[in-house]
Structures are given as structure tokens and as C-alpha cells.
Amino acid sequence: MRITELKTIDEYYRALLERKPNFVGIFFVGVKTTSVFCIATCRARKPKKENVEFFTTFKDALDNGYRPCKVCKPTEYAHKAPEHIRRAIQLIKENQKSKVADAQLRQMNISPEVVRRWFNKNYGMTFQAYQRMYRINLAFQELKKGKTTTATAFDAGYESLSGFGYTFKKILGDSPINSATKNVILINRLTTPLGPMFICATDNGVCLLEFVDRRMLETEFKTLQSYLGANIIAGENEHIKRAKKEITEYFDGERKNFSVALETPGTAFQNLIWESLKKIDYGKTLTYEQQAETINNPKAVRAVAAANGHNRVSILIPCHRVIGKNGKMTGYGGGIERKRWLLQHEKKNTAD
């Protein structure tokens, strides 16, 4: 949304001039004379007030024709976990089998209130809920390796089997004993030049990669859980780590093909279409009509477009490489401007 309230514009412009870090992610400023947009702490020369306009999200700035500033990298750093949040997360990893209390955070000069607000905004859950998911995920992995429920519960820092069982069932939907042979979907977060993304993976591979502001994301989560008969919990596995590395290399212009394993539950037709997407070369595009021809079904244009729309693994399965007639940008869940950026990014690196 474009900011129109004059008092707010005055406040944001002062924050821009003073490079106030507490306004990072609160607004995005578009500079009319350069067609770039920035965050509050950008080190670039400050524009005149009459040459700027403010937006509430970087997607709004993209949709209004602005491109990310190369100095402050607004889509990357506006939503990147700040230092105190990274320290709080590291504290969880270093104390995997015990609860990180507010007192511990305060001892490290970390505000528990700020941490809670950040997690609610960026993960849609509290810091304590994230901790519980992290600990239950570790317990789940140990149960799958054959460890007893009792040993797992007490090693995870629970003082009673009942408390462990209640939390485990609340998060995973079943008791520890019944869950030992079940699957889970791990969810993590990564930052890209086009904004933060959620990444999900099972033991078999990556099953979702979407921008966090993607429409119908909650529906995708529900569909994925239904297909796989698994719950989504916070965590990370080797597939997620590999995907993060490959996605970073892609955005750096160093990778054109992906090798990370995927799991793409869907209909036989949907998987046929998703496989055809992976065959479109980096830097190339097809129309929906041409894609239909690649599966020897030229009349299935609408069905092809619908299957592309149900792709849950963006970029790795490059549905952004399919365009409308006459090169028109159509149908991309992450937003048309992101689609245009991805195609320009690939074209540039192909030319190089």
C-alpha cells in the first residue's frame, strides 16, 4: 500500500534522513528519479522529499515499477533476522534439550518482548512455540532411530512422560509411539533478493518453496499435509540445507541447474506438467501453448496453466519460465514483478 497520510510521510522521511534502524522493514521508499526503492538505513545519497513515495511492503514497491537498490538490498535485508534474533536462535541450538527462558535472553541483553514480536511477524508463532517445535523435532528424529519414549522425553528436558506426550501429540497429531514410523514436514525460512521464502522438506526431498507473501499459502500448507499425511513443524534437514545453498548460488548468478531432491505430491497430470517445467532451459521461456505441445497435448492449454498454478516449489520447478502470448507476463503466484525479475536475471546471466 502506498502511504498517503502526510504525518506518516513526514515521520518516514525523517527516519530516512537519520537512517533509523528501527524503521527497517516498516516502510520502503521509492525514489522517483532513479526508479529504485530502499530501506530506512540505506547509505546512498538522500533524495529530496518531493522525489520519494513510501510503501508498506517491498511487493508494493515492485508492483509500482521500482527495482531493489543495489546498495541497501531492501528485499534481502528488510526481513533478514537481525543480530539479536540470530543470537536467540543460536541459543536454542546450543540448548537443544532445555527451554531458553526470558531471563537467559535478558542476561545476553536481548529483549524477550522484541524477540516475541519478531517471531510472531516473521514465523507466525511465538518464540516459545518455535522452541517447542524445535525440541519435538529433535525428539521425533531420535524416536525414529529407535530410542525409547522414556529416554527421549527426559533427554529432551521434560520432567514427565505425560507432559512430553501431550506436547508431542499437540504438535505432531499423534502419540510418540505411534509417530515413530510417520513422516513430518520440516519448515524453515530463507532470505533472497526478492524477499523471504518458506522452504519445506520431508526425508525424501523439498516439497515447498514459496515467497512468504504468496497468496493461498495457507491452503498450500493444508494440501501438502493432507497429501503426505504429515504435520509441518519447524526444523531443518539436509535437503533444506542443500536447497538453501543452491538457491543462494542461483541468485548470485552462479547456478543454472538444481540437483536437490524434490517430493512433489499431486496428480499424475500435475507431475507430468511439473516435469516438463524442469526441462525448460535456464534463460529460456515457453508459452502455455508451447508447453502443452511438449506433452503432445496441444489442446490442454488451460489444464497446463492450472497445473503450473498448483506448483508448490517455485524456482526449483521454474514455472516463471512460462509466459502468455506475445510475451505477456501472466499467472505467477509470487507476483508478476518477481516473475519479470527472475526472467531478466536469467537472461542477464545467460548473456554473460
Side-chain angles (χ1 to χ4, degrees):
M1 181 179 71
R2 182 188 283 107
I3 303 299
T4 57
E5 209 271 319
L6 296 179
K7 184 178 179 181
T8 303
I9 291 174
D10 289 341
E11 180 186 11
Y12 286 179
Y13 188 68
R14 285 196 301 272
L16 177 68
L17 294 178
E18 297 171 14
R19 296 177 181 155
K20 290 186 175 181
N22 55 317
F23 279 81
V24 171
I26 301 300
F27 68 73
F28 296 84
V29 55
V31 184
K32 299 174 185 177
T33 53
T34 60
S35 295
V36 302
F37 70 96
C38 308
I39 51 178
T41 54
C42 186
R43 303 187 311 275
R45 182 179 175 182
K46 300 306 175 187
K48 295 180 179 180
K49 188 176 179 180
E50 60 266 26
N51 291 331
V52 301
E53 52 185 343
F54 296 93
F55 303 93
T56 53
T57 71
F58 64 78
K59 190 174 183 300
D60 293 324
L62 285 170
D63 289 343
N64 279 274
Y66 291 98
R67 62 183 186 276
C69 171
K70 293 182 179 180
V71 177
C72 64
K73 299 180 180 179
T75 56
E76 183 173 352
Y77 291 110
H79 296 282
K80 190 173 183 178
E83 175 60 27
H84 59 278
I85 299 296
R86 293 198 293 271
R87 288 164 58 206
I89 293 174
Q90 185 60 34
L91 199 58
I92 294 176
K93 294 180 178 180
E94 293 172 354
N95 298 271
Q96 294 180 353
K97 297 179 179 180
S98 61
K99 179 181 176 180
V100 176
D102 286 357
Q104 289 175 268
L105 294 175
R106 290 193 177 95
Q107 286 176 356
M108 299 178 64
N109 294 319
I110 300 172
S111 167
E113 293 77 18
V114 171
V115 170
R116 282 196 287 271
R117 283 197 296 270
W118 191 91
F119 268 85
N120 273 316
K121 180 179 179 180
N122 292 275
Y123 275 99
M125 68 177 72
T126 66
F127 181 61
Q128 299 302 334
Y130 179 86
Q131 284 194 73
R132 286 193 294 271
M133 279 194 174
Y134 194 90
R135 291 166 67 196
I136 289 298
N137 176 42
L138 290 174
F140 176 78
Q141 299 301 329
E142 292 182 348
L143 286 170
K144 290 187 73 172
K145 292 176 183 177
K147 197 169 183 176
T148 67
T149 302
T150 301
T152 301
F154 288 102
D155 282 351
Y158 286 85
E159 297 179 355
S160 69
L161 280 175
S162 60
F164 173 68
Y166 173 80
T167 304
F168 195 99
K169 187 172 183 178
K170 185 177 181 181
I171 293 176
L172 292 183
D174 211 337
S175 67
I177 293 176
N178 293 335
S179 297
T181 58
K182 288 188 175 181
N183 198 9
V184 296
I185 303 167
L186 299 180
I187 186 169
N188 213 282
R189 190 175 181 274
L190 68 153
T191 304
T192 77
L194 290 180
M197 302 183 78
F198 282 130
I199 181 169
C200 292
T202 64
D203 289 342
N204 297 322
V206 172
C207 54
L208 181 141
L209 179 65
E210 293 281 24
F211 291 100
V212 300
D213 59 2
R214 194 233 199 272
R215 293 168 303 172
M216 306 297 289
L217 186 58
E218 289 298 322
T219 300
E220 287 194 344
F221 286 149
K222 291 177 182 178
T223 302
L224 195 58
Q225 291 177 98
S226 177
Y227 266 126
L228 297 176
N231 284 4
I232 296 176
I233 65 173
E236 189 176 53
N237 62 14
E238 291 305 313
H239 298 306
I240 290 177
K241 291 177 183 177
R242 184 176 185 87
K244 283 183 174 182
K245 180 177 182 296
E246 293 190 2
I247 287 295
T248 297
E249 292 169 349
Y250 169 84
F251 277 109
D252 287 343
E254 299 170 357
R255 176 176 288 273
K256 298 180 179 179
N257 299 292
F258 301 101
S259 60
V260 63
L262 303 178
E263 182 168 18
T264 56
T267 67
F269 182 78
Q270 285 174 335
N271 273 284
L272 175 66
I273 298 306
W274 297 337
E275 284 299 318
S276 73
L277 287 171
K278 291 192 283 186
K279 295 176 183 177
I280 305 175
D281 292 336
Y282 181 98
K284 303 293 184 181
T285 59
L286 292 181
T287 64
Y288 292 103
E289 289 81 0
Q290 290 171 327
Q291 188 185 6
E293 290 172 1
T294 66
I295 61 166
N296 299 315
N297 195 346
K299 295 183 179 180
V301 177
R302 289 188 177 181
V304 166
N308 285 353
H310 284 95
N311 171 34
R312 291 179 291 271
V313 189
S314 63
I315 300 177
L316 299 179
I317 299 179
C319 55
H320 61 275
R321 294 177 191 160
V322 182
I323 58 178
K325 290 182 179 179
N326 302 320
K328 186 177 180 181
M329 297 289 165
T330 59
Y332 189 63
I336 296 300
E337 289 305 319
R338 284 195 180 115
K339 181 171 185 170
R340 182 177 287 109
W341 190 99
L342 291 169
L343 292 177
Q344 291 174 346
H345 170 73
E346 292 182 4
K347 183 177 180 180
K348 174 181 176 294
N349 285 290
T350 301
D352 292 345

